[in-house]
Amino acid sequence: MPNCTRFRVPTLSSLVLLLLTFSQAGFAGWTLNPESSSLYYVTSKAAAISELNTFGELNGTIDDNGNASVAISLASVDTAIDIRNQRMQEIVFQVANYPLASISLTANGARLAASNPGQSFMESYDATIDIHGTKQTMTVELAVTKLRDGGLLVTLAKPLIVNAASFGLAESVEQLREIAGLPSINNNVVVDFTLQFDAD
């Protein structure tokens, strides 16, 4: 009787594992698309006046392990008034010594890669925020949506309240208040963002 080579039919679970292994092998992560992203903060002064401020230069990445970071060029602050931009750059942010602020966190890279286009989820993360040489850990709740081309759209599910005093900026804010002749400037600012990351 001729010898027959036996072979084992792969199970469904092993096929899924194999496909995931191959799909992850060439995965490199995502890079922030600055033209399709925005980050702004709202300040309040004189007890009743709120103003919207933005930053024009953002850079960021998410690697295949889910390590995410976004750097903000503080010199790109836009308050809609030139002299106020200059005061924010020189007095508050002191961009000559602290040109960048950053936010970083670690997500589940495998979950991000395995999400289907159009799929969204919300999750809380411990984010490290670095401003003016001071780092603080804050909880952020993010909404993440997988885009059709494999990219990611990341937004804050809840706006983030950042206290300037927590980052050693209270004296600078007070100096700004005196120069501007204002009765008060609130140390709390409300931060929000929409970030689009393109697949590498």
Side-chain angles (χ1 to χ4, degrees):
M1 182 177 180
N3 291 329
C4 295
T5 302
R6 291 189 175 183
F7 63 93
R8 183 175 296 175
V9 177
T11 63
L12 179 60
S13 59
S14 62
L15 284 173
V16 170
L17 180 61
L18 186 63
L19 287 172
L20 286 175
T21 300
F22 278 110
S23 65
Q24 293 296 319
F27 175 61
W30 298 267
T31 299
L32 184 73
N33 183 331
E35 286 76 25
S36 300
S37 301
S38 62
L39 185 151
Y40 65 84
Y41 65 98
V42 179
T43 58
S44 58
K45 63 184 183 182
I49 301 173
S50 297
E51 295 170 333
L52 183 67
N53 309 271
T54 64
F55 293 98
E57 295 181 20
L58 307 173
N59 292 283
T61 59
I62 305 175
D63 69 17
D64 55 354
N65 292 317
N67 298 310
S69 63
V70 174
I72 303 116
S73 170
L74 299 178
S76 71
V77 64
D78 185 357
T79 67
I81 298 176
D82 289 342
I83 186 60
R84 193 161 60 195
N85 292 346
Q86 182 179 351
R87 289 171 177 171
M88 288 298 298
Q89 294 164 358
E90 297 178 358
I91 298 173
V92 179
F93 295 141
Q94 300 173 18
V95 297
N97 296 319
Y98 307 100
L100 300 175
S102 67
I103 179 170
S104 58
L105 58 86
T106 299
N108 187 325
R111 181 182 186 184
L112 296 176
S115 298
N116 295 318
Q119 182 179 355
S120 299
F121 64 88
M122 287 195 300
E123 192 162 341
S124 294
Y125 301 92
D126 289 331
T128 299
I129 299 175
D130 187 342
I131 304 173
H132 205 251
T134 299
K135 294 181 180 181
Q136 298 283 345
T137 299
M138 302 183 68
T139 300
V140 296
E141 187 170 344
L142 301 180
V144 181
T145 301
K146 190 68 166 288
L147 302 178
R148 182 178 300 178
D149 59 2
L152 299 171
L153 185 66
V154 181
T155 61
L156 275 171
K158 296 179 180 178
L160 188 65
I161 298 177
V162 176
N163 185 279
S166 297
F167 294 91
L169 296 173
E171 291 185 7
S172 298
V173 172
E174 175 60 18
Q175 184 179 353
L176 181 65
R177 183 198 67 78
E178 292 177 353
I179 292 174
L182 296 169
S184 65
I185 296 179
N186 195 329
N187 275 315
N188 288 328
V189 299
V190 180
V191 178
D192 206 351
F193 58 69
T194 298
L195 306 175
Q196 180 175 319
F197 292 85
D198 294 338
D200 293 338

